[in-house]
Amino acid sequence: MKRVPNCIPTAMLLALLCAGSAQAITPMLRELEDAFIRIGEQVRPAVVNVESEQEQPDGDDRAQRPPGIEDFFKFYNIPMPDPEAPRSRHRPVASGSGFIFDKDGHIITNNHVIDGAKTIKVRLFNGNEYQAEMVGSDADTDIAVIKLKDPPADLHVAEFANSDNIKVGQFAIALGSPRGLEGSLSFGHVSALGRDTLQLPIYLRFQNFIQTDAAINFGNSGGPLVDIDGKVMGMNTAIDAVGESLGFAIPINMIKEVAPQLIASGKVTRGFLGVDGIMDMKDIVTGTTKPEEFAEALGLPDTHGAYVNLGAIAESPAEKAGIKKDDVIRKINGEPIIGAQDLVNKVSALPPGATVKLEIWRDKAAKEIELTLAEYPGDVRKARLGKAALGMRVQELTP
């Protein structure tokens, strides 16, 4: 595909039009328009709709109704569901998007799209439907892989970019099924990179989101975010429900690391150190104290490192190696540690059983510790803010 120059912002094009240069600028606008049309034609065949169903137990709906729900239905003049009416044991609980990973029928989507699914149905761009099965999922990154049970031979596989090369300001095109409207395409720009510590409805241990102003809505989850070459640079995952033009996508390079492990073994294996309550310097200080002042009190030359706030987890590699509360982990295998999340990322990228050398700061001096990583056992906080909060599970109402 011919690459369209992205050095001419929309504002400049509009300014030229307003200045009476419409006739001269029209060919450039036409080229830009044709490029977006070609991107849609190129990528849409690799984008799928994913619908999952979860088994629901039989029971009296009246016993499960929250207080005041009858008044809600009356106020909005909505008929109350008849609790005596027969109802299916299977109801759709999630509808999202995905994209084809390989000719074997593996499809990438979000874990939250298929989480808890008893059955999964995939609809291709040509309208053909297929049953799919779970291959593996990673709740820590919200990445999942499913597979068509009887894939056709002519699957259109998505092409992948290198998300390390993404620049703020470049064009971004989001595809998927927003609100079930399959085959949708919207375009905008990459508005920021490396977004983390987002307050999402689900707990994600790893966040390194691409931020985009391309329109992303419910149902886009799992769909691709592509560049102007039609190559996938990320997977649409989250939106800011109260903001405007704030969408977030998982970088494709993270998917390239996770998906092959899920296909091979159904899970992702990560190294585990076992330090508890690690923090950045900026998150430790309170009041008028500055991070630089806290670092100076510890004798540190700068504010880099992961501060061990609570100590080591029992029986963990960190405890066995003697890591203590108030230590600052500065390096791992000679690589500097910028902060707490950087330590988590670097340790998680190593396999269980790997021997690592840590440089820690204790009693105003550097000290080297060698230890062997264990396997990350999983995190119990995955529902910190989400569907299990307050004991509630949110679903769309159906007739």
Side-chain angles (χ1 to χ4, degrees), residues 26-247:
T26 295
M28 190 178 298
L29 288 173
R30 183 71 64 189
E31 184 180 1
L32 187 63
E33 180 181 69
D34 289 345
F36 284 117
I37 292 172
R38 291 195 298 270
I39 290 170
E41 294 172 346
Q42 174 187 342
V43 181
R44 277 196 187 101
V47 182
V48 305
N49 178 263
V50 180
E51 186 177 275
S52 64
E53 292 182 345
Q54 182 175 7
E55 187 172 350
Q56 301 291 330
D58 287 328
D60 189 345
D61 279 344
R62 288 170 293 190
Q64 303 178 24
R65 292 176 184 169
I69 191 65
E70 290 87 356
D71 293 335
F72 173 86
F73 275 82
K74 290 177 181 178
F75 182 82
Y76 288 102
N77 196 27
I78 303 174
M80 278 289 295
D82 182 1
E84 304 299 330
R87 57 191 180 96
S88 170
R89 286 178 55 84
H90 291 80
R91 293 183 176 180
V93 295
S95 179
S97 308
F99 54 94
I100 299 170
F101 185 72
D102 59 29
K103 286 286 187 180
D104 293 330
H106 291 107
I107 291 169
I108 307 297
T109 187
N110 281 129
N111 177 62
H112 74 258
V113 171
I114 48 77
D115 186 27
K118 297 298 182 182
T119 63
I120 304 172
K121 181 172 66 178
V122 172
R123 187 162 43 254
L124 303 186
F125 180 63
N126 59 15
N128 294 338
E129 295 184 351
Y130 298 86
Q131 292 298 313
E133 59 187 355
M134 171 67 76
V135 174
S137 63
D138 180 42
D140 286 329
T141 57
D142 201 17
I143 297 170
V145 177
I146 59 177
K147 185 178 186 296
L148 301 181
K149 291 185 178 180
D150 188 20
D154 60 346
L155 284 176
H156 186 99
V157 178
E159 296 183 67
F160 304 130
N162 180 354
S163 53
D164 288 343
N165 296 334
I166 296 173
K167 304 295 183 183
V168 173
Q170 74 178 68
F171 283 125
I173 300 94
L175 296 97
S177 305
R179 296 294 185 181
L181 301 173
E182 299 175 33
S184 296
L185 176 151
S186 63
F187 75 92
H189 303 82
V190 172
S191 52
L193 295 169
R195 292 301 194 202
D196 58 13
T197 66
L198 299 178
Q199 296 300 306
L200 300 173
I202 53 176
Y203 172 74
L204 295 183
R205 189 165 175 248
F206 302 98
Q207 296 186 28
N208 183 29
F209 288 114
I210 303 165
Q211 180 180 308
T212 180
D213 58 8
I216 296 175
N217 292 281
F218 294 107
N220 272 119
S221 290
L225 184 73
V226 306
D227 60 21
I228 58 173
D229 291 318
K231 294 183 179 181
V232 181
M233 56 183 176
M235 177 168 63
N236 306 320
T237 298
I239 60 173
D240 187 329
V242 297
E244 294 183 5
S245 301
L246 286 174

Side-chain angles (χ1 to χ4, degrees), residues 237-258:
T237 298
I239 60 173
D240 187 329
V242 297
E244 294 183 5
S245 301
L246 286 174
F248 303 94
I250 298 170
I252 191 63
N253 285 8
M254 183 182 291
I255 296 170
K256 289 178 184 177
E257 294 176 0
V258 170

Side-chain angles (χ1 to χ4, degrees), residues 243-284:
E244 294 183 5
S245 301
L246 286 174
F248 303 94
I250 298 170
I252 191 63
N253 285 8
M254 183 182 291
I255 296 170
K256 289 178 184 177
E257 294 176 0
V258 170
Q261 294 185 62
L262 295 178
I263 292 171
S265 63
K267 67 174 186 176
V268 179
T269 302
R270 297 185 172 96
F272 177 64
L273 178 59
V275 285
D276 198 7
I278 55 173
M279 302 174 68
D280 295 343
M281 291 291 180
K282 63 181 177 62
D283 296 326
I284 300 169

